Amino acid sequence: MLLVDLWWQTQGTIGSWSSRRMGAFRAALEGVAIADNVIYVADTENHLIRKIDLEAEKVTTVAGVGIQGTDTEGGEEGDKQPISSPWDVALGTSGSEVQRNDILWIAMAGTHQIWALLLDSGTLPKKSDLKKGTCIRFAGSGNEENRNNAYPHKAGFAQPSGLALASEEPWSCLFVADSESSTVRTVSLRDGAVKHLVGGERDPMNLFAFGDVDGAGINAKLQHPLGVAWDEERQVLYVADSYNHKIKVVDPKTKGCTTLAGTGDASDASSSFAESAFNEPGGLCIGESGRLLYVADTNNHQIKVMDLEARTVSVLPVCKSDSAVVDGSFPREKQKTVPKVPKSAAHIGLPPVTVHPGQALQLRLKLQLPPGAKLTEGAPSCWFLEAEGNEWLLQEQTPSGDIENISNQPAISLQIPTHCLSLEAVVSVVVFLYYCSADSSACMMKGVVFRQPLQITSTQPACAAPVELAYAF
């Protein structure tokens, strides 16, 4: 949403926090692309691509049906084609004779693919003519992998989250920030071939080869990059290396990747490039003059401006006009999104516990790391509460929290509602841990799910002992 933020600071506000109807957005908007007086928006949690016509002051849906799809092929007309968690969009040109913005490229994070929406009739590499409105898979098998391949449908991505278009020769490609594999990849606009640029490792199944290392190609290490921006004048790519709290720059000729700005601490400081600090930067865009790089500094709730010539960082003052109207109430607190549980995650079934309405049940984490291992500094180890089919159980709960110290693990308090809709329910505690080996040579993310059945009775039992959620990784 960085481009919308920059534009809207002088114009107004679009949408509500809770609606999915035409003319309004939910809060979970990620990527945007702007052409003339039209803005295309990746409405991630609604699983839609929206079009904002600034002249008509109208919002319409151009792709997606409003629920998460599982289709990995596509080919339907946009507003009839289910899509899954679109994270970013970029405008491009098809193989038609007239050069115009007639393709919207989509980073489809939910199915680990790159899709294309035809804004006008045109062609894609290795495909016959496609009619206007077609929404179709371009690259990616749908498997969650770090797999490069000359055949685009055999390549594999892992939550592609950022796109940048370099249409000029010799590049003619999409740069992709592939978050879960901690890589930056390229997708050729000539033939769809998917190639590695920086980060990760050679094993396509290893999605945990992350780190913070300046270097070339596979020797460079990133951690969950989210945004990319192409500098056409300097012929370099900027990367928002979110979990390393840095902005990095990549030379696609040499595959060299170096830190441009950020100390690496999750902090807030505006100074020289070397002394400035970010907190999970997530979005980037280049100003029209090519001198300024705008950064969505997510956890600092700021837009920072990097002067590429003076090599300084400042905070952009954001204000809305007096005539701007916000549609909908301001949320009390933005809830965290539950990450995808790894397939390797253990599922622990616990014996039922008898509780009564109004009781506060204590759930104590007792997690054990391998010998010598330690939590990854700066990585978001955390827990979440879930109660599928019994969401009433979580209405007044604290739904999530951080795990900052393995020797002082949090106790989770589950307050049983005074008015229960069922006498039986199941609550799950989902844990995500990021940790490194003793010598930091290997880092990984692991998950575990504790499933706690509850039997609710009106009779107040004796004081219940805390429930231990024990697991050794």
Side-chain angles (χ1 to χ4, degrees):
M1 287 300 291
L2 180 54
L3 289 174
V4 167
D5 287 336
L6 295 175
W7 174 84
W8 204 253
Q9 63 173 310
T10 58
Q11 301 297 320
T13 303
I14 298 172
S16 73
W17 290 97
S18 58
S19 178
R20 195 165 59 209
R21 56 186 166 81
M22 295 303 98
F25 292 127
R26 286 182 63 185
L29 311 177
E30 292 294 344
V32 300
I34 299 177
D36 299 323
N37 287 312
V38 172
I39 305 175
Y40 294 95
V41 181
D43 191 0
T44 305
E45 288 193 8
N46 281 329
H47 311 289
L48 298 171
I49 303 295
R50 317 291 286 275
K51 176 183 176 181
I52 306 170
D53 189 320
L54 301 178
E55 288 186 349
E57 297 184 358
K58 183 179 180 181
V59 179
T60 55
T61 292
V62 292
V65 298
I67 59 174
Q68 187 166 20
T70 58
D71 185 1
T72 58
E73 296 292 336
E76 295 290 335
E77 191 170 342
D79 59 2
K80 298 180 179 64
Q81 174 63 57
I83 61 177
S84 180
S85 300
W87 211 269
D88 199 8
V89 287
L91 279 164
T93 300
S94 72
S96 59
E97 293 182 1
V98 180
Q99 296 294 296
R100 62 191 187 280
N101 288 323
D102 57 0
I103 286 186
L104 188 71
W105 301 105
I106 306 169
M108 203 70 75
T111 56
H112 313 293
Q113 295 173 312
I114 307 300
W115 283 46
L117 173 66
L118 277 292
L119 303 177
D120 203 344
S121 297
T123 60
L124 293 173
K126 300 183 179 180
K127 287 190 178 294
S128 56
D129 291 345
L130 297 169
K131 66 178 183 179
K132 179 179 179 180
T134 302
C135 189
I136 192 167
R137 178 263 296 256
F138 179 61
S141 63
N143 296 324
E144 190 175 7
E145 298 174 333
N146 174 21
R147 189 179 298 277
N148 303 298
N149 202 294
Y151 297 92
H153 289 184
K154 292 184 177 181
F157 295 91
Q159 196 181 313
S161 300
L163 295 178
L165 181 71
S167 57
E168 70 273 20
E169 296 295 343
W171 315 116
S172 188
C173 71
L174 280 167
F175 294 103
V176 181
D178 198 36
S179 299
E180 290 301 316
S181 68
S182 293
T183 63
V184 176
R185 326 269 288 280
T186 63
V187 182
S188 171
L189 300 178
R190 305 183 196 94
D191 56 14
V194 177
K195 297 180 180 180
H196 170 269
L197 186 60
V198 295
E201 66 139 278
R202 291 182 176 83
D203 180 357
M205 304 304 293
N206 183 6
L207 302 182
F208 305 109
F210 55 81
D212 184 7
V213 180
D214 288 354
I218 212 159
N219 295 318
K221 291 293 179 280
L222 308 168
Q223 187 170 355
H224 204 83
L226 279 177
V228 283
W230 175 242
D231 188 335
E232 186 174 351
E233 179 181 344
R234 298 172 182 83
Q235 297 285 284
V236 295
L237 183 76
Y238 303 110
V239 181
D241 194 2
S242 64
Y243 287 177
N244 285 326
H245 315 293
K246 290 181 176 181
I247 306 302
K248 296 186 176 178
V249 60
V250 177
D251 181 345
K253 290 182 180 178
T254 63
K255 294 190 174 184
C257 176
T258 57
T259 297
L260 182 65
T263 62
D265 296 325
S267 187
D268 179 18
S270 298
S271 182
S272 66
F273 279 9
E275 296 174 339
S276 293
F278 304 91
N279 194 340
E280 292 192 19
L284 300 173
C285 73
I286 294 280
E288 289 185 5
S289 67
R291 173 168 179 164
L292 303 179
L293 177 67
Y294 295 92
V295 182
D297 194 9
T298 306
N299 287 351
N300 283 325
H301 312 286
Q302 296 172 337
I303 296 174
K304 288 201 166 104
V305 185
M306 297 176 58
D307 189 318
L308 298 171
E309 295 180 8
R311 299 183 69 81
T312 59
V313 178
S314 59
V315 176
L316 177 75
V318 178
C319 59
K320 63 184 179 68
S321 67
D322 294 337
S323 61
V325 177
V326 176
D327 177 13
S329 59
F330 196 83
R332 289 181 299 173
E333 182 179 358
K334 185 178 179 180
Q335 302 296 330
K336 291 182 179 179
T337 300
V338 182
K340 184 176 180 180
V341 179
K343 293 180 181 179
S344 60
H347 288 69
I348 310 298
L350 301 171
V353 171
T354 300
V355 295
H356 64 88
Q359 177 183 343
L361 178 65
Q362 296 295 316
L363 306 168
R364 291 184 178 174
L365 289 174
K366 194 174 181 181
L367 307 171
Q368 183 178 342
L369 295 179
K374 58 184 178 180
L375 292 182
T376 306
E377 185 176 351
S381 294
C382 54
W383 59 265
F384 291 85
L385 287 178
E386 293 185 332
E388 186 174 351
N390 295 281
E391 286 77 11
W392 56 269
L393 189 61
L394 303 182
Q395 287 183 359
E396 300 300 324
Q397 312 294 341
T398 300
S400 62
D402 296 327
I403 302 173
E404 298 178 349
N405 192 328
I406 204 68
S407 63
N408 185 22
Q409 298 176 36
I412 303 165
S413 181
L414 179 67
Q415 185 71 39
I416 308 301
T418 54
H419 299 287
C420 297
L421 302 183
S422 174
L423 297 180
E424 293 184 349
V426 176
V427 64
S428 295
V429 179
V430 186
V431 176
F432 298 85
L433 278 192
Y434 294 80
Y435 64 87
C436 297
S437 60
D439 59 0
S440 298
S441 62
C443 294
M444 61 201 74
M445 186 272 273
K446 294 289 186 179
V448 59
V449 180
F450 297 95
R451 189 174 183 273
Q452 177 62 70
L454 304 175
Q455 295 178 346
I456 303 172
T457 176
S458 58
T459 304
Q460 184 167 339
C463 183
V467 176
E468 282 195 351
L469 308 181
Y471 184 73
F473 289 88

